[in-house]
Amino acid sequence: MPRRVPDLSVYLVTDRLLSRGRALVDVVLSAVRGGATVVQLREKEGSARETLELGRALLHRLRPLGVPLIVNDRVDLALALGADGVHVGQGDLPPEVARRLLGPDALVGLSITGAADLPTLDPAVVDYAGVGPIFPTGSKADATPALGLEELARLRRLLPVPIVAIGGITAANAPAVIAAGADGVSVVSAICSADDCEVAASTLVRAVREGLARRASPPPG
């Protein structure tokens, strides 16, 4: 029986440094109230124990709401938490290793930064792809060059799994990203750094819907 991929439409990636001094659990819960559908715990600064405790606090609040918690990179932390899955990059543990460790029911996401990465994605192993950066971004210091919307559309045609687009995405450009073929938008600062995280998330929900409407009714010619 195939694994069920969750609604990827508004995929929040956490960053305490961009959260303006607010408690990360509060930021995440505000975003979920606004319509965020997936949360990825990405903590590069704290210790493993600190991240584990933060993950436990998030999982305790998110699981009753039916919102998946994905751990960035760290398969060991995903296992320790009993998280819903893991998202790995091209330089992390290979997806097949993550799948073997986490088991058949976990979600496994893989970053795709361009066409050269396509052979690393086995749809029997990977549930969804994180494609990007689509636009220049300041939230990831080691980001590769921006792909742009045309390349996103091309990769959408080539990828056999759902895709969530990431990198420089805002409510203003999210409709175009969805219209280009993405199943969802992954954001960091657009929610974490917003004055009101709930409003920011709900604005992104509306932007995704606008993009879906554009995709369903493309302009003539």
Side-chain angles (χ1 to χ4, degrees), residues 40-190:
Q40 182 189 126
L41 177 61
R42 186 176 77 180
E43 291 298 315
K44 300 294 188 182
E45 301 298 324
S47 67
R49 178 169 293 186
E50 185 180 7
T51 304
L52 180 66
E53 292 305 317
L54 184 56
R56 284 174 174 161
L58 287 172
L59 199 60
H60 176 70
R61 304 299 293 274
L62 294 175
R63 188 147 284 168
L65 300 175
V67 176
L69 179 67
I70 308 294
V71 177
N72 178 260
D73 295 353
R74 298 287 302 271
V75 176
D76 57 338
L77 283 175
L79 270 170
L81 280 170
D84 296 284
V86 69
H87 186 94
V88 294
Q90 291 294 317
D92 300 323
L93 275 181
E96 60 271 19
V97 176
R99 169 64 64 209
R100 186 165 70 247
L101 292 171
L102 292 175
D105 297 326
L107 292 165
V108 175
L110 176 66
S111 294
I112 297 291
T113 62
D117 295 338
L118 293 177
T120 66
L121 192 148
D122 178 355
V125 173
V126 174
D127 298 300
Y128 73 92
V131 178
I134 307 304
F135 306 109
T137 176
S139 63
K140 199 168 188 292
D142 59 348
T144 54
L147 296 171
L149 292 173
E150 288 188 12
E151 184 63 6
L152 170 62
R154 186 175 83 91
L155 291 171
R156 166 66 287 174
R157 293 191 293 270
L158 296 172
L159 282 162
V161 295
I163 67 172
V164 57
I166 190 168
I169 294 173
T170 66
N173 58 35
V177 169
I178 297 296
D183 296 285
V185 292
S186 182
V187 297
V188 186
S189 59

